[in-house]
């Protein structure tokens, strides 16, 4: 009796599906990806079924009119709702490895398996880097590449969602570098009080207000914010006695609902995550008071990022050198960007980070 075998082409497809699943599952921000408007990183796959180089995300600003009551006329008193748009551009992103026949048995599946671990790690890091670099980007420009003029212009538009150190008064005349220089290691380290202030900014001062993330796994759709912190800022927060006591009181139910990963902190409706991969990207150098080191922490709510996919990760093999060298490449067509909506008269004028409060804190670092 002959055994039924799976066609090679189907095996490749199976491998690609598994590869994409593992990349999506293993990246540092995996729990924040979702298709809902309540997701921190909202995913759209519109371009999977049609051509195009960008996906449009829409913002419908909340209604603020008082209710029409009693027999008063509603007709003629309708509220005009404001809509804004933001485009996420996709691009082809890829990498490859190559092995010689002497080192690898000749099979499309084994070639893919040979480079699976290293290529998967690369793809995971590529996804993470787009989020990490985007988190503190200045209107689409990587922070380390942005000019002082660009940073100052960004600060003008985002003054309602930025905190320098412990106090709003550290914000100095919309000058980014001067504001950083007001942060000192005595009063302006990352702390429970500063974190709560960031949340208050998100809920009251920010215009439009920043909505919390709604959990899809917790009972009753628990709402919360997520704060991503540079390792130095995270360690300063963890050393705060208020935070130390609070962790003893974190409900086991929260952990069971998979809102946490190992090492996360919880305070005041906020999950705090240490982002080790951002140790360089979110370190702004000795720019604080008395040359204090300043690092970043970012409080995020729903739709902080948009992720657009035109093609998921897949593989291509190639033979060279008279079939002695056999390589495998992984690639995807996608983009992940911090959402920015216009706050001026025109749709995209005076861009404002949609759902992030950016915090800059002094730190003594590793002492």
């Amino acid at each position: 009796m002959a055994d039924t075998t799976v066609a090679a082409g189907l095996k490749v497809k199976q491998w690609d599906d598994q590869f994409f699943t593992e990349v999506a599952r293993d990246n540092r921000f995996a729990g924040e990806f979702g298709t809902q408007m309540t997701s921190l990183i909202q995913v759209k796959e519109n371009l999977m079924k049609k051509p195009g180089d960008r996906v449009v995300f829409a913002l419908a600003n909340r209604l603020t009119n008082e209710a029409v009551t009693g027999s008063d006329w509603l007709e003629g008193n309708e509220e005009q709702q404001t809509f804004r748009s933001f485009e996420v551009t996709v691009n082809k992103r890829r990498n490859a490895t190559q092995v010689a026949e002497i080192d690898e048995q000749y099979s499309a599946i084994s070639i893919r398996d040979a480079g699976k671990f290293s290529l998967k790690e690369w793809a995971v890091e590529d996804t993470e880097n787009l989020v990490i670099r985007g988190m503190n980007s200045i209107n689409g420009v990587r922070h380390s590449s942005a000019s002082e003029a660009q940073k100052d212009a960004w600060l003008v538009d985002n003054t309602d969602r930025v905190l320098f150190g412990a106090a709003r008064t550290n914000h100095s005349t919309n000058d980014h570098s001067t504001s950083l220089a007001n942060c000192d290691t005595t009063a302006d380290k990352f702390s429970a009080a500063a974190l709560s202030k960031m949340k208050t900014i998100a809920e009251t001062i920010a215009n439009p207000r920043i909505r919390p993330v709604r959990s899809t796994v917790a009972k009753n759709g628990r709402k919360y914010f997520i704060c991503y912190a540079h390792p130095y800022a995270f360690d300063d927060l963890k050393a705060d006695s208020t935070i130390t006591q609070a962790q003893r009181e974190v409900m086991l139910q929260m952990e069971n609902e998979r809102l946490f990963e190992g090492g996360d902190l919880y305070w005041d409706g906020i999950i705090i995550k240490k982002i080790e991969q951002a140790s360089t990207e979110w370190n702004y150098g000795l720019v604080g008071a008395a040359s204090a080191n300043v690092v970043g922490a970012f409080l995020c709510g729903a739709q902080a990022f948009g992720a657009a996919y035109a093609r998921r990760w897949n593989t291509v093999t190639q033979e060279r050198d008279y079939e002695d060298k056999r390589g495998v490449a992984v690639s995807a067509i996608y983009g992940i960007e911090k959402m920015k909506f216009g706050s001026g008269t025109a749709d995209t004028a005076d861009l404002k980070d949609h759902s992030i409060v950016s915090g800059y804190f002094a730190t003594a670092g590793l002492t």
Side-chain angles (χ1 to χ4, degrees):
M1 179 180 295
D3 292 337
T4 301
T5 59
V6 179
L10 295 180
K11 290 181 181 178
V12 172
K13 179 63 175 175
Q14 259 180 0
W15 195 98
D16 288 343
D17 287 345
Q18 181 186 12
F19 186 89
F20 177 81
T21 299
E22 291 181 0
V23 170
R25 180 194 64 208
D26 293 345
N27 84 78
R28 185 66 179 82
F29 303 95
E32 285 74 79
F33 281 79
T35 58
Q36 305 299 316
M37 293 180 69
T38 53
S39 302
L40 193 149
I41 304 175
Q42 186 183 4
V43 178
K44 287 192 175 185
E45 296 184 321
N46 305 42
L47 299 181
M48 298 280 285
K49 297 180 179 179
K50 61 182 180 181
D53 65 346
R54 65 199 64 198
V55 170
V56 177
F57 290 79
L59 168 67
N61 286 329
R62 68 189 186 94
L63 300 176
T64 58
N65 274 6
E66 294 290 338
V68 174
T69 60
S71 60
D72 291 346
W73 279 74
L74 178 59
E75 184 178 345
N77 290 297
E78 298 88 352
E79 182 173 357
Q80 182 178 2
Q81 189 166 21
T82 303
F83 293 92
R84 302 281 185 173
S85 65
F86 177 68
E87 296 180 340
V88 175
T89 302
V90 300
N91 204 347
K92 189 171 185 177
R93 306 178 68 86
R94 56 182 179 160
N95 199 0
T97 61
Q98 181 174 275
V99 294
E101 184 178 16
I102 194 69
D103 299 317
E104 181 64 30
Q105 181 180 351
Y106 181 57
S107 163
I109 301 303
S110 64
I111 290 172
R112 287 178 168 83
D113 289 341
K116 178 179 180 180
F117 178 79
S118 56
L119 289 173
K120 188 193 79 171
E121 289 298 297
W122 177 85
V124 166
E125 290 180 5
D126 188 60
T127 301
E128 291 173 341
N129 286 337
L130 288 177
V131 178
I132 290 170
R133 293 171 184 173
M135 192 83 69
N136 70 336
S137 61
I138 303 297
N139 288 336
V141 179
R142 193 171 176 178
H143 193 281
S144 58
S145 301
S147 67
E148 286 302 315
Q150 289 173 320
K151 293 174 185 176
D152 291 348
W154 170 85
L155 185 55
V156 169
D157 293 330
N158 289 275
T159 187
D160 61 335
R161 54 197 67 214
V162 176
L163 180 64
F164 293 94
R168 291 269 294 168
T169 53
N170 284 335
H171 182 165
S172 180
T173 61
N174 290 323
D175 187 302
H176 195 274
S177 59
T178 302
S179 300
L180 290 176
N182 290 331
C183 300
D184 65 63
T185 54
T186 301
D188 298 311
K189 288 184 177 181
F190 196 33
S191 64
L195 182 58
S196 290
K197 187 167 292 186
M198 292 175 74
K199 179 183 178 183
T200 301
I201 289 171
E203 294 176 328
T204 60
I205 298 174
N207 182 25
R209 293 178 187 171
I210 296 175
R211 296 179 295 112
V213 177
R214 184 185 294 274
S215 172
T216 58
V217 297
K219 295 178 181 178
N220 302 320
R222 187 189 305 276
K223 296 179 180 179
Y224 57 95
F225 292 96
I226 297 180
C227 183
Y228 302 103
H230 184 281
Y232 293 168
F234 186 92
D235 290 348
D236 288 342
L237 179 68
K238 192 174 181 179
D240 186 329
S241 59
T242 302
I243 292 293
T244 303
Q245 177 61 33
Q247 300 322 293
R248 301 190 185 106
E249 301 168 0
V250 172
M251 294 182 297
L252 180 62
Q253 177 185 357
M254 294 286 287
E255 296 186 16
N256 292 338
E257 288 171 345
R258 293 182 285 131
L259 297 181
F260 291 96
E261 296 177 1
D264 291 349
L265 301 175
Y266 180 76
W267 169 253
D268 194 17
I270 308 163
I271 298 171
I272 308 97
K273 297 176 179 285
K274 179 195 291 189
I275 306 299
E276 298 86 350
Q277 301 91 325
S279 59
T280 300
E281 189 73 26
W282 297 352
N283 190 329
Y284 309 112
L286 306 178
V287 295
S291 298
N293 193 184
V294 177
V295 296
F298 303 91
L299 182 110
C300 299
Q303 292 182 297
F305 280 80
Y309 283 87
R311 179 171 58 72
R312 296 181 172 187
W313 293 101
N314 69 1
T315 58
V316 176
T317 58
Q318 176 177 270
E319 298 177 358
R320 302 176 62 194
D321 193 22
Y322 299 95
E323 299 186 356
D324 182 66
K325 306 296 187 296
R326 303 183 180 97
V328 56
V330 294
S331 68
I333 302 176
Y334 77 115
I336 301 175
E337 296 184 37
K338 176 170 62 175
M339 286 218 218
K340 304 176 289 295
F341 291 100
S343 58
T345 304
D347 180 19
T348 58
D350 302 325
L351 290 174
K352 180 180 291 191
D353 294 351
H354 173 53
S355 198
I356 297 178
V357 176
S358 298
Y360 302 91
F361 299 96
T363 180
L366 297 176
T367 57

